[in-house]
Amino acid sequence: MLCVLFCTASSWADVVVVVSARSSVTRLSADNVTKIFLGKKNTYPGGGNAIPVDQLEGSVTREEFYLKVVSKSASQLAAYWAKVIFTGDGYPPRLVEGNIAVKRFVAANPDAIGYIDKSNVDSSVRVVLEP
Amino acid sequence: MKVKYSLSVFCMIAAWLSVAEAATQAVSDSSVNEGLINRSEPTLFTLGGFGTLGVSHSSQSLGDYILDSTLPKGAGRSSSWSMGNDSRIGAQLTANPTSTVSMVLQIISEYQSDNTYHPEIEWANVKYAFSPNTYIRAGRIALPTFLNSDSRKVGYSYPWIHPPVDLYRVVSITNSDGVDANYRFEIGEAGNTIKILNGKNTIKRPTSISTSEDMWGVFDTIDYGAALFRIGYQKRNASSYSLLTGITGAWVPNIDLSVGGSYDPGNWFVMSEWIQRKSTTKLSAMYLSAGVRLDKFTPYVTYSNNGRGSFLPGFPPPTVASVLSASRSQSTFTTGMRWDFRKNTDLKLQYDNVKLSDNSNGYLANLPANTVLFGTRLHVISAVVDFVF
């Protein structure tokens, strides 16, 4: 079991959390990011609305982000959202498909926060967490 | 009061349906935008559902093993295998007409006291949110007696087949017609959430209908990373109408004090709760549960117990029936496993070893007269498939 996890982990690329280059947010803790992506907060620590965007279920970048930053597997995350949705407390982040589309969405929206593979980072976005 | 609350729930549903109508058009236009699939706030309307298909079997054929006092029959005497304990299906419609106002309507079909699966309105409320965790609500809302109260009926949201029975059966009421307010603030990385609730409830049991008026609750939850601690206090005046005798009982103040905590860093979890309930008697119940998450498998163990009630001074002399009822006590050792075998679906298997106390038949139901099973054990096996859609 451990070997399977390890081997999968080693084949991952590096995920980074990004905001728009126009955003005033410069740095976020894993705890800040976790709260925003689990819908527990909708603002940044220094103020300003936070709009998280998720990649599609099954994407490698998504799996890596949730395991490394939020400490939840895909099925744990699904159970978490079942609890939140059916208590009327909220909904998961909107979905955007692929690293490039997420980068463009975040770059164009100063409130947005997303996660992409490090190789896709350019000057339009700012890395706020490297887990 | 009764008319007022019924009307408020009715208005809620009416308001709800009118928003639904107006929104239908907008949804079709806004759901897809440049490859962006909206599932969050911008979607005006969201329909979802959850369900559990379950079966349980008990080794004790003289009485029924039931999870809750609202159930008329269970596994054991009425039938060797029973689907009533865990099976249910629920649908939830949510509307977000503005970024701060939302409405939720949840309807659940499950085994009822009258031996049917008639759908009931579990929630119908309007929420005004200042932030995700600071809001006020009005209508039919969840009564958060326990740590898992809000999602007690959504099997997919927790590891067990059902929340530990010995504790959760202490308060069968799951909702309140009235108002609540939720306020959250943060100190560093810790969060504190205070909820205050006021409302009323009517609950049907096989041989009685219980009404609770002037329900008040105060609940405080502290979260710090993977740790959660919760304390709750609620009081209400309750009266029971007997369907057998046609007699309405006196109003009795009920006070529940509950404490719960959990630690869930991801790969494993531990959770525990305790409650003390005071009405004409005082009793307490607890459980301690732990599990590990191994890829798609979550094996868990739980110990729970429910102590006998002691009569409190100041009430009329207890009857034979009430003495028997108060003497019920049992403990359970549970082991089981959740398997997330496909997307949005799990399969769970569970074994319960239930020990009836030395001077009661525990919570076994539908026993023939003069049956004495004091101090005996029963073995219960259950299997469920949970799903969300």
Side-chain angles (χ1 to χ4, degrees):
Chain A
M1 188 73 75
L2 282 174
C3 172
V4 173
L5 288 175
F6 179 74
C7 299
T8 316
S10 65
S11 69
W12 282 341
D14 285 329
V15 65
V16 291
V17 179
V18 292
V19 297
S20 169
R22 292 188 280 140
S23 165
S24 57
V25 178
T26 53
R27 200 80 202 146
L28 289 173
S29 69
D31 184 71
N32 296 150
V33 174
T34 296
K35 283 186 172 135
I36 290 168
F37 275 86
L38 294 184
K40 291 175 178 173
K41 292 210 73 171
N42 63 355
T43 53
Y44 292 107
N49 287 333
I51 300 175
V53 285
D54 255 338
Q55 298 223 20
L56 299 196
E57 283 170 51
S59 99
V60 177
T61 315
R62 177 182 163 120
E63 299 260 309
E64 186 185 356
F65 168 75
Y66 276 102
L67 270 184
K68 275 189 174 175
V69 179
V70 185
S71 302
K72 282 191 193 298
S73 68
S75 53
Q76 277 173 260
L77 189 70
Y80 170 80
W81 282 114
K83 184 177 169 119
V84 175
I85 290 168
F86 295 115
T87 51
D89 274 352
Y91 280 91
R94 67 190 69 190
L95 293 171
V96 175
E97 185 172 3
N99 288 314
I100 292 166
V102 170
K103 183 189 69 185
R104 284 189 186 143
F105 181 87
V106 169
N109 190 335
D111 292 336
I113 177 168
Y115 49 85
I116 57 175
D117 190 276
K118 198 174 179 179
S119 63
N120 294 98
V121 173
D122 62 26
S123 61
S124 70
V125 291
R126 178 184 307 124
V127 174
V128 289
L129 176 68
E130 259 185 275
Chain B
M1 281 302 265
K2 267 178 195 162
V3 174
K4 195 180 86 183
Y5 277 120
S6 312
L7 268 178
S8 72
V9 170
F10 178 78
C11 292
M12 209 62 68
I13 295 164
W16 226 100
L17 291 173
S18 61
V19 171
E21 208 172 318
T24 313
Q25 202 62 44
V27 171
S28 56
D29 300 337
S30 68
S31 57
V32 176
N33 175 22
E34 293 179 353
L36 172 79
I37 307 158
N38 279 330
R39 269 207 311 183
S40 58
E41 310 90 81
T43 306
L44 199 45
F45 244 154
T46 317
L47 178 64
F50 56 88
T52 299
L53 187 63
V55 65
S56 53
H57 166 78
S58 164
S59 65
Q60 180 52 267
S61 57
L62 285 174
D64 282 347
Y65 179 77
I66 55 168
L67 296 191
D68 195 273
S69 57
T70 57
L71 301 175
K73 292 176 189 171
R77 186 182 177 207
S78 298
S79 56
S80 176
W81 292 83
S82 163
M83 292 183 66
N85 269 335
D86 295 300
S87 301
R88 65 174 59 83
I89 189 152
Q92 179 174 304
L93 194 54
T94 311
N96 291 279
T98 75
S99 61
T100 50
V101 176
S102 60
M103 300 176 180
V104 61
L105 175 67
Q106 189 182 93
I107 294 172
I108 295 180
S109 169
E110 62 184 347
Y111 195 36
Q112 302 276 350
S113 59
D114 62 357
N115 209 12
T116 67
Y117 280 79
H118 283 316
E120 295 265 351
I121 295 171
E122 181 70 14
W123 301 335
N125 62 65
V126 162
K127 171 160 115 177
Y128 183 88
F130 303 91
S131 75
N133 291 296
T134 298
Y135 57 79
I136 48 174
R137 294 188 294 188
R140 178 167 292 176
I141 55 191
L143 180 71
T145 309
F146 303 111
L147 216 48
N148 299 291
S149 283
D150 288 0
S151 56
R152 189 170 173 170
K153 310 217 167 180
V154 186
Y156 187 76
S157 72
Y158 44 76
W160 320 290
I161 281 200
H162 39 249
V165 179
D166 293 331
L167 182 105
Y168 279 75
R169 74 172 343 126
V170 174
V171 179
S172 306
I173 301 171
T174 57
N175 56 38
S176 159
D177 292 345
V179 292
D180 76 348
N182 209 71
Y183 175 65
R184 181 185 161 90
F185 60 89
E186 293 185 346
I187 305 164
E189 294 202 338
N192 187 78
T193 308
I194 300 171
K195 184 192 285 288
I196 296 175
L197 172 143
N198 173 240
K200 56 168 280 180
N201 172 277
T202 299
I203 190 166
K204 293 177 194 149
R205 298 196 166 90
T207 59
S208 66
I209 297 173
S210 295
T211 305
S212 295
E213 300 265 6
D214 297 323
M215 290 205 291
W216 284 94
V218 182
F219 311 90
D220 191 66
T221 308
I222 297 165
D223 59 275
Y224 180 71
L228 191 78
F229 176 78
R230 187 175 186 278
I231 183 160
Y233 173 89
Q234 61 190 25
K235 57 178 281 202
R236 60 185 184 275
N237 281 321
S239 167
S240 203
Y241 167 76
S242 169
L243 297 170
L244 303 176
T245 63
I247 295 170
T248 302
W251 290 97
V252 174
N254 279 242
I255 295 172
D256 304 313
L257 177 66
S258 56
V259 180
S262 68
Y263 187 75
D264 187 346
N267 292 331
W268 58 280
F269 70 89
V270 56
M271 193 183 292
S272 184
E273 288 185 77
W274 173 88
I275 187 168
Q276 182 190 73
R277 180 175 174 195
K278 279 188 199 170
S279 53
T280 53
T281 61
K282 181 168 93 172
L283 66 81
S284 61
M286 62 74 69
Y287 75 86
L288 175 64
S289 185
V292 288
R293 297 194 180 90
L294 304 165
D295 196 20
K296 296 191 180 305
F297 296 93
T298 309
Y300 57 85
V301 290
T302 307
Y303 171 78
S304 60
N305 71 43
N306 185 315
R308 61 179 302 175
S310 56
F311 282 92
L312 292 168
F315 292 101
T319 61
V320 174
S322 64
V323 170
L324 278 175
S325 169
S327 68
R328 291 178 298 178
S329 169
Q330 66 184 37
S331 61
T332 310
F333 178 77
T334 301
T335 182
M337 181 148 76
R338 170 183 172 135
W339 176 28
D340 285 278
F341 71 102
R342 49 171 285 191
K343 194 183 166 193
N344 293 336
T345 315
D346 69 52
L347 170 72
K348 294 170 187 165
L349 299 172
Q350 184 169 308
Y351 164 72
D352 293 280
N353 186 314
V354 185
K355 167 91 162 47
L356 309 181
S357 75
D358 290 339
N359 43 25
S360 82
N361 289 325
Y363 285 83
L364 284 179
N366 304 324
L367 291 160
N370 303 321
T371 306
V372 174
L373 297 169
F374 295 5
T376 62
R377 285 181 185 275
L378 52 138
H379 309 275
V380 181
I381 50 171
S382 315
V384 299
V385 171
D386 296 307
F387 49 91
V388 291
F389 55 93

